[in-house]
Every structure is written in structure tokens, then in C-alpha cells.
Amino acid sequence: RTLYGNDKSGRFLVAVPNLSGMADRVIGFVTVFMMSILTNRAFQIGNRQGLPIFEDAFYSPNNVNWSRPIEEEWLIEPLKHKASIRNYNSSILEKGEYFAVNTIDDFKLQDRLLRQDLNQLLGGNARTTLISINRGKTIRMFENGHHNEQLTRMGLTSYTAFGCLLNYLIQPKAEVFQHIPDQHMKMTDPNPLVLKISIQIRVGDSSLSSPDHKINLDHYSAYFSCAEQIETFATAAAALRNEKYSHVLWYLASDSKSLRAAAVSRYGSQKVVTSLNTTVEHTAKEHCKAENCAVSSGGFHLAAAEWWLMGYADYHVITQYSGYGRSAAMRSLRKDTTYTVNYKRTGAAIRCDNTSFSDLETLSFDWSGI
């Protein structure tokens, strides 16, 4: 807390968001939070024009203000997407006040984070280091021989690190659930005899620009087949414990409102829990061509609410090329309960039994990682 006051001897590590969706930003800043702990720096979440501010939907459960004001443009310049400039000029660097690390699309630099001493990569004694990253390294940081003993001493494991750090950093504000109170009630119900399976299906950004598009649910049959298989083996396992589920819920999150409606029509509203009459938006509109590209408060709140509620599920069926479902699953701290659908085989046969879950290696390498 001293670092956040007037102490000039402390150092900061600032997670500057890339123009990407909420989940990629969360995955990135959890990794930066881990790196701040490992390098004894105070952590801050940066903000930038064009992106929703996290404080609109989340609060700190530990009464720490992680937020940093929007930076001046010259500070952000080296951290823009695919920027060729990797740092500031020598006169700035010599003062030791600022240092920038841009990992976006720089896979060699991302790999160095897992191989080298982070203190050297993050600017040494620079007062404020700003880093842009939207690929999670929280799981894989345990591979770093310079820091894995630190992580072990902290009591973290590669399976618990992401969920523990995330739950320490942020919790959702009550108002994000105000438009979906029934979903919140069902997903937070502690009754162990209600089996909850989250299903996250990313159709693609085109579904957001054409909300009335037609959908063929059979093209996404792998997700629902996987959920049915999970339901079968979980029910059998409960029977061996002399228990019986009272009912089963599929919590469905998707960027396609048409898909949501089709799933409810086919499987019934008693089983499929989802939002049908709310605003569905991508939480970063970097490719938006419309006159107004601002993300609405309602759209951001729904994205935050559904993402958080997925974390209450017992099992998770997720899209391979999306961080949204993966990060929600890892927040849950439930081991060996996540099943990934290959983005090229969404309508193909799939095997989802009690041994075919996605392992840590898969979760840490697919798409935005963890």
C-alpha cells in the first residue's frame, strides 16, 4: 500500500490493455499481476481510449484500487498493436522513469518471459514499466527456472494460480446481474444435486454485426453432444455415491443470439439457461465500421455477468479459439472438468468422457492460453 502512496522508491508494473476482448484482457493482466509479484513491483491495470473500464463491472474485494488513469498518447505509442517501435528513445530510458514491453505478436519475446529472469526483461530498476500482453503465461510461468521456486513458496500450483490470482484481483459488481437475476440465482445455487454444465460457443464476430443471421444448430452439434456425454458419466458417478441429480442445467453463452434461441427451441428452457433478450456485443470493437463503435454499458455488463456465472458450473464445454470460456473454467478452480471443441470440427462427432478432458498443456497453449 505504501507504493500506491507518495513513496518514490517503489516500482510499478502496469498492464496496458490491447484492443482485444474482455477475456483476453483478463488473461493478460492476471499474467502481469503474477509477474509483478515475482519482481516485487506494485501492480496496476491501465486504461486506454476505446475500451470499457473494468471498474464499470468489477470491484476489488481487497479494497485496493488497481486502476491507473488513461496514459498520455506518447506513453501508449510503443504498446500499440503490432507496433514496430519496442521502446522509448534513449533520453527517456536514461531517466529510468518509464520502460515499455510490447509482447503483441512477438512470440520470441513471449517465450523469453518463460526462460529468463523477469527483472531484466521488465526494465530493471525503471520506476514504471508498462506491458501489453493478451496471451496468458500464468500456467506456463511455472516452467521458468528463475521463478518457479517463488511460485511454489507462495502455495500456488499451475492449476490454481490463475483462479486464485483472478479472484483476489476482481469480483463482479451486483448490478451486472440486474438484467439476468434468474440466471444468477440458478448458477449460484449451492445445491450439489443440480448438475451445471457451461457451454461457450463462439460463432464469430460476423454474428455480432448481423444479429438476425440464420443459424444451423447441427453445425454446432459437438458442443451439445459433449454436454450430453458429460451428463451421462456424471450421473453414473453420482449413482455410485448413492446420489441422484434433481435436474441438469446447461448454461449457454454465445456471441450468436440466433444460436441461443435455436438451442432453447431444441433442448428446452428448463435445461438451457441463457440470455435471449439482452444486448450481446464484443467488448472491443477494433474492426468496427459503424459510426458508433463504443461498447455499451449493457453489452459489457452482460459479457462480464455471463463470464462470471460460467465459473460456477461443474463442467465446461468451450470453444478452442476463444479465451472467454477457458478463463471462466480456470477461475472455477475445478480440475479436469474442461472439454475443448476443435474449431474445425464443431459439427463432428466428439468424445467427452471422464478421461478425455482438456489437460493443462492444451489449456495453456490454445488461442490466448491462460
Side-chain angles (χ1 to χ4, degrees), residues 86-355:
R86 292 299 177 190
N87 228 302
Y88 308 112
N89 61 44
S90 58
S91 63
I92 296 295
L93 295 177
E94 287 168 1
K95 294 179 182 178
E97 189 67 22
Y98 295 103
F99 191 84
V101 181
N102 186 351
T103 72
I104 305 301
D105 292 340
D106 190 335
F107 300 108
K108 289 184 178 180
L109 178 55
Q110 292 176 27
D111 188 65
R112 288 170 63 194
L113 295 175
L114 308 175
R115 304 286 177 263
Q116 298 182 21
D117 187 337
L118 293 175
N119 291 287
Q120 301 303 315
L121 292 174
L122 299 179
N125 291 321
R127 164 74 171 165
T128 301
T129 296
L130 301 98
I131 179 170
S132 185
I133 181 170
N134 67 342
R135 293 293 179 263
K137 304 298 177 185
T138 305
I139 292 176
R140 297 196 60 205
M141 195 61 69
F142 286 83
E143 301 172 19
N144 191 320
H146 296 276
H147 300 286
N148 54 11
E149 288 188 10
Q150 286 177 264
L151 293 170
T152 301
R153 288 197 300 269
M154 291 164 57
L156 297 174
T157 70
S158 54
Y159 226 108
T160 63
F162 180 83
C164 287
L165 294 173
L166 175 61
N167 289 320
Y168 181 85
L169 281 171
I170 60 173
Q171 293 286 310
K173 292 181 176 179
E175 52 261 40
V176 305
F177 303 109
Q178 64 181 342
H179 296 299
I180 53 171
D182 185 58
Q183 294 180 36
H184 182 264
M185 180 186 66
K186 290 178 178 179
M187 292 305 293
T188 58
D189 182 357
N191 184 355
L193 297 182
V194 177
L195 178 63
K196 303 167 188 171
I197 302 172
S198 74
I199 305 173
Q200 180 255 330
I201 304 176
R202 180 178 182 178
V203 172
D205 292 351
S206 60
S207 66
L208 298 172
S209 58
S210 303
D212 296 324
H213 67 283
K214 302 297 182 182
I215 202 82
N216 184 343
L217 202 62
D218 292 335
H219 293 167
Y220 302 91
S221 61
Y223 293 94
F224 303 104
S225 172
C226 187
E228 289 174 331
Q229 293 175 59
I230 292 170
E231 186 176 333
T232 297
F233 77 70
T235 300
L240 293 176
R241 302 190 300 267
N242 293 319
E243 296 176 350
K244 183 179 180 180
Y245 289 116
S246 59
H247 60 288
V248 180
L249 297 179
W250 291 357
Y251 188 67
L252 175 62
S254 176
D255 51 0
S256 169
K257 294 181 74 170
S258 297
L259 185 144
R260 295 172 185 238
V264 171
S265 176
R266 178 174 296 186
Y267 297 102
S269 59
Q270 294 301 307
K271 170 167 281 190
V272 179
V273 178
T274 193
S275 301
L276 295 177
N277 300 309
T278 48
T279 302
V280 178
E281 298 179 66
H282 196 288
T283 51
K285 297 184 177 180
E286 67 270 33
H287 302 301
C288 178
K289 297 180 181 179
E291 183 176 343
N292 181 8
C293 289
V295 179
S296 71
S297 177
F300 187 57
H301 279 193
L302 179 67
E306 292 189 330
W307 174 69
W308 197 265
L309 292 180
M310 282 193 290
Y312 288 105
D314 302 296
Y315 294 91
H316 310 269
V317 183
I318 65 172
T319 295
Q320 181 183 23
Y321 277 10
S322 171
Y324 192 67
R326 184 180 306 104
S327 54
M330 292 301 294
R331 187 191 71 78
S332 74
L333 297 173
R334 291 185 173 87
K335 189 176 181 181
D336 302 338
T337 58
T338 302
Y339 295 77
T340 302
V341 176
N342 187 298
Y343 79 106
K344 291 184 178 180
R345 297 180 57 81
T346 60
I350 188 171
R351 174 188 166 206
C352 295
D353 57 30
N354 59 358
T355 64

